[in-house]
Amino acid sequence: MGNSRFDLGLERLASIDGEAGYKVIESLQDICPDLAKFTIEYPFGDIYSRPGLDLKSREIATVAALTALGHCRPQLKVHLNAALNAGCSEEQVKEVLLQMSVYTGFPAALNGMFALKEVLLERQVE
Amino acid sequence: MGNSRFDLGLERLASIDGEAGYKVIESLQDICPDLAKFTIEYPFGDIYSRPGLDLKSREIATVAALTALGHCRPQLKVHLNAALNAGCSEEQVKEVLLQMSVYTGFPAALNGMFALKEVLLERQVE
Amino acid sequence: MGNSRFDLGLERLASIDGEAGYKVIESLQDICPDLAKFTIEYPFGDIYSRPGLDLKSREIATVAALTALGHCRPQLKVHLNAALNAGCSEEQVKEVLLQMSVYTGFPAALNGMFALKEVLLERQVE
Amino acid sequence: MGNSRFDLGLERLASIDGEAGYKVIESLQDICPDLAKFTIEYPFGDIYSRPGLDLKSREIATVAALTALGHCRPQLKVHLNAALNAGCSEEQVKEVLLQMSVYTGFPAALNGMFALKEVLLERQVE
Amino acid sequence: MGNSRFDLGLERLASIDGEAGYKVIESLQDICPDLAKFTIEYPFGDIYSRPGLDLKSREIATVAALTALGHCRPQLKVHLNAALNAGCSEEQVKEVLLQMSVYTGFPAALNGMFALKEVLLERQVE
Amino acid sequence: MGNSRFDLGLERLASIDGEAGYKVIESLQDICPDLAKFTIEYPFGDIYSRPGLDLKSREIATVAALTALGHCRPQLKVHLNAALNAGCSEEQVKEVLLQMSVYTGFPAALNGMFALKEVLLERQVE
């Protein structure tokens, strides 16, 4: 029998983050495969696979938290994509970022919005 | 004609934060009434009154952001209440806090969960 | 009658941030014009247009806060420029950044000083 | 010859923070006197004793930075006092805190304003 | 066969944090037992049970990180205790906190030192 | 007689950070030589020259704190190098970064690990 947390996590990662998620995992293989394993198992196998909150709401929470932290631009971009993939409309994602001006200040909200601009452009190209 | 942003904001503040919102506004009157005015006008009159994102999703985003910041416990408690008032179930709010362990670490998630514990106790008493 | 907060804010933005401010506003037009509108109305129309604190002191406060946040380099550069435009001497701006070593640690102070180095170079070229 | 950085720092600490500064230094004596010594020598002996920026501007920068950090309430209260002692009017200090709503969000600005409310009350009692 | 990550984690939690760790876990039971379970499994079962870094070094890293975050005082106190239990001398723990003045500023270092003062007092009483 | 804090600090800087440390100091000369002087005197002359904690432990604390802050990538890279130079094994440094996932979240831990990947590559080239 396999490691069900890992298998479940890998499946969730693929369905939520798609290509971008795989790239993060791959780029960890030569430096710290255990961090890749833990990233699959805990966030995706344990947390994102829980019932009790729909994926759209989960991604809204993550986008808000990463905008608040301010120093995690690559992860913010991954989750702006994930929010759109989960069924959030562009308008809904913009509202989350707009609202962050209230809680984390205008600079963090602006930086979040410019990250979204890049994400939307990249999605158009693909 | 009155200041419609202020009137709209006050109405939104009352319906979202209830008593707790009023208390914050009142406690500002003798120190800086303009901050009270701005808090009503911008966050509530301009942002929380926008269509494009339902109130439940807005409160999920706010709870996530305040948990990430970590140093805004009074505001986190106000918005844990607001999330419940907006129709989030206890389970949904707990899922948001649980998920924050992934993005902001376990201590911030634990502190958020203990704030929720207090909020639920206070709501039972009332 | 026009929106006086917007008009006032636009005038303040132009006089404080100059070209750099306009660029931020312009680059928001195709992604979220409402964030541009709010950025003009609240920070510039409501706050920077208030009497009670001179512009030099306002820019000193903003440079200090953005250095403390650490993750808002583009905005820090805009406000290092704005501080110099408001009449702060180079020496005064350097003192603010030096002083941040005490409150936010040496790395944040060093990163602020290197941002100022870039700003001074860019101003020489123009 | 004595340690001039220490002597100079102690004199600056006394004139800037007064009683509150001494209390911090005293309360370190039984746990880590070297941290007391360093706090006198570097922030006060090296930085606050520099020419090039007036004390009022220095305190405005410090109040802004500590409001942005959000997790240093005791130090924020010391420096709200220091700002008032350095000649900032109540109005000027309030403007700095109001302005922080733009850069660090409304919760941090509100918490700063409530800290000022306490400081003003404590000064009235004394 | 039991859940070995949980069992291993519980054993590590007990040996590292002792009574204080149990209290955190217990106080989660009525609000979110899954967060208790995850706190045991991931930090303690997965991370603190790894070879490759001795426990003293792990606690030094944790004390440094929690001092830098600044808003996790209860967890900082737990890990100041854990560092001492793991064999760090009082002097070594003080050096870590002193050194934080360089990276996270003097206020965070001072608050860390005052947390240690409380911890040492509480250990004397017991 | 020379300034012994400066001389001692310069010697410590050279032995800890090597080339990378000199570069930081050099790049400050044309913008703010006093910040260079203070960076040598306080962090290196006063703190890193203290007995009471071995250099390996000091670097572990610094790597943890800079990973937690999240917005100090250049300094994190300098100290990942310094940790390796001080005798930490690659495995030990990876364990510190892995452990940060618990306290500062997975994004900060991932960004720290990717910084280490760059550092190891750069060391191979040299």
Side-chain angles (χ1 to χ4, degrees), chain F residues 17-18 21-22 48 50 55 57 69 73 85 87 90 96-97 114 121:
Chain F
D17 288 349
Y22 273 125
Y48 277 93
R50 290 171 65 85
L55 186 57
S57 298
L69 290 179
R73 201 169 194 274
N85 294 344
E90 279 186 30
V96 173
L97 296 173
F114 290 129
L121 226 69

Side-chain angles (χ1 to χ4, degrees), chain D:
Chain D
M1 205 192 82
N3 175 343
S4 63
R5 292 171 67 239
F6 184 86
D7 292 345
L8 183 59
L10 199 58
E11 184 270 318
R12 292 302 283 155
L13 175 77
S15 82
I16 292 170
D17 288 350
E19 198 66 23
Y22 273 125
K23 270 187 200 159
V24 172
I25 296 308
E26 255 178 50
S27 64
L28 285 167
Q29 293 308 329
D30 57 354
I31 177 81
C32 186
D34 280 1
L35 182 50
K37 180 173 160 287
F38 288 140
T39 302
I40 289 166
E41 287 178 350
Y42 181 65
F44 292 96
D46 284 348
I47 299 293
Y48 278 93
S49 65
R50 290 171 65 86
L53 190 67
D54 61 291
L55 186 57
K56 276 180 60 173
S57 298
R58 287 197 183 279
E59 289 300 338
I60 284 171
T62 299
V63 165
L66 292 173
T67 306
L69 290 179
H71 55 66
C72 298
R73 200 169 195 275
Q75 290 82 14
L76 178 57
K77 285 185 67 180
V78 168
H79 283 281
L80 287 168
N81 261 307
L84 295 166
N85 294 344
C88 288
S89 67
E90 280 186 30
E91 189 189 8
Q92 287 173 324
V93 176
K94 288 176 191 176
E95 287 299 322
V96 173
L97 295 172
L98 258 176
Q99 187 172 320
M100 289 303 104
S101 64
V102 173
Y103 297 103
T104 68
F106 280 78
L110 285 163
N111 291 338
M113 199 63 84
F114 290 129
L116 177 63
K117 191 172 171 173
E118 276 184 34
V119 164
L120 294 178
L121 225 70
E122 289 160 10
R123 289 168 74 94
Q124 247 177 354
V125 171
E126 282 159 34

Side-chain angles (χ1 to χ4, degrees), chain E residues 42 48 58 62 99 101 103, chain F residues 42 48 62 95 99 101 103:
Chain E
Y42 182 64
Y48 278 92
R58 289 196 182 278
T62 298
Q99 187 172 322
S101 65
Y103 298 103
Chain F
Y42 181 63
Y48 277 93
T62 299
E95 287 299 323
Q99 188 173 319
S101 65
Y103 298 103

Side-chain angles (χ1 to χ4, degrees), chain A residues 48 58 62 95 99 103, chain B residues 48 58 62 95 99 101 103:
Chain A
Y48 278 92
R58 289 197 182 278
T62 299
E95 288 299 322
Q99 187 173 321
Y103 297 104
Chain B
Y48 277 94
R58 288 196 182 279
T62 299
E95 287 300 322
Q99 189 173 320
S101 65
Y103 297 103

